[in-house]
Amino acid sequence: MTSAPIHQARLGITPTCWRNADFPDIGDDITAADVIQGIKQCAATEVSGAEVRYHGTSLAPYFEEPELNLLRSGPRPLTITEPWVSTFYTEYDGAEKTLRDFEELLRFFKENDLPLERLGVAEFGNAVHLQPDTPLSERPHFSQGQWESLATGLNDLGRRCRTHGIELCYHPHMGTGVQSQQDLDRLMAATDPESVKLLLDTGHLTWAGGDPVAAVRRHGRRIRHVHLKNVRPDIVRVAGEENLSFKQAILAGVFTVPGDGEGVAFKDVVDELRRVGYDGKWLVVEAEQKLNAQEGNTYAQTALSFLAELGLGGTS
């Protein structure tokens, strides 16, 4: 494949491809060491003279000092692609909680000598996705006042991030008040482009009825981080027809990786990212599934090989 990587963006993969972060009972038999070793072992054919592999992973809640040391060890050390802070600006006293969590994250990264360049966030105020039996149809719909509080809070947090050299990247998420493409467009219009960037998750947006290609076309200059997540259209349909919760849909197999099925038009997404000149540092594979460790490794390799065919990941 002769196509060049998108401004040398590196490929990462999240631990959720093996072990779920939102629901600890999904994949709790898989050790953190299994996850890290699985990521390090994945490698595809060479692209433009460089081996295609995963260079990073997101921060998992079960990563402690031994896991952080394992990430950085050996001939294939891994970088933390992006940590996460849930925001609660649409709830009473939510701004204070959000800032406490942000300051705690800053301390953690400083104490562990970890680089911190981008921060993923999503508004979890009144969200339903962490409630295992609550249908996604009961997700919140914000009032005008809540939208204003969210925009004000994100602008403030984004400015705080900038003082630390961090880019704040907002992640539209199923089961939250910013889920659909309309929600995404409204949030982007209401926030400061310099302080609030976009984390494009192809799976969440597609499941919500949106179009990732259109999102790139509309907001491409604000996209600073990308989650390459696939969906299974038949499970998306079942989740809607049977009014499933987020957890129920995950267990049914709603998410999968790029290269497994035709849910997301990844070639079109990648072509559009190239067209708008995406220059974010990372393209991160993500898929919450109920797997064993070996299945997780297999899916991770499937995604890597597929993305290599699209000309991605050819960095040294």
Side-chain angles (χ1 to χ4, degrees), residues 106-280:
L106 290 180
R107 283 193 294 272
F108 178 85
F109 270 70
K110 183 177 181 180
E111 290 169 359
N112 288 281
D113 193 28
L114 295 169
L116 178 52
E117 298 176 347
R118 286 174 180 81
L119 177 66
V121 303
E123 175 60 23
F124 280 11
N126 303 293
V128 303
H129 66 290
L130 296 179
Q131 302 171 21
D133 299 315
T134 302
L136 286 168
S137 60
E138 297 184 19
R139 67 129 177 160
H141 295 273
F142 297 149
S143 66
Q144 177 63 28
Q146 287 175 314
W147 276 108
E148 291 172 359
S149 295
L150 176 57
T152 298
L154 290 175
N155 285 337
D156 174 69
L157 186 59
R159 287 190 292 268
R160 292 172 187 265
C161 283
R162 288 168 62 193
T163 65
H164 295 280
I166 303 166
E167 290 184 310
L168 178 76
C169 301
Y170 193 92
H171 180 325
H173 198 292
M174 292 297 295
T176 74
V178 185
Q179 172 179 290
S180 69
Q181 192 135 355
Q182 183 179 13
D183 298 332
L184 163 61
D185 292 343
R186 182 170 182 172
L187 185 73
M188 291 293 99
T191 51
D192 173 17
E194 295 301 314
S195 299
V196 181
K197 306 299 183 180
L198 176 61
L199 192 167
L200 176 67
D201 186 301
T202 58
H204 279 269
L205 191 58
T206 300
W207 184 2
D211 178 1
V213 176
V216 176
R217 190 174 298 126
R218 195 169 305 164
H219 305 294
R221 293 299 179 183
R222 290 178 75 172
I223 297 173
R224 301 296 297 151
H225 202 75
V226 177
H227 284 175
L228 297 174
K229 181 186 293 183
N230 205 358
V231 295
R232 295 184 172 100
D234 56 333
I235 307 301
V236 169
R237 184 182 66 254
V238 168
E241 292 173 350
E242 299 186 6
N243 206 20
L244 298 184
S245 70
F246 187 62
K247 182 178 183 180
Q248 289 164 347
I250 288 174
L251 292 175
V254 69
F255 287 135
T256 187
V257 298
D260 179 33
E262 303 295 330
V264 174
F266 286 103
K267 182 181 184 303
D268 294 341
V269 173
V270 168
D271 287 346
E272 194 63 24
L273 286 169
R274 284 196 173 99
R275 190 190 69 78
V276 302
Y278 174 71
D279 60 356

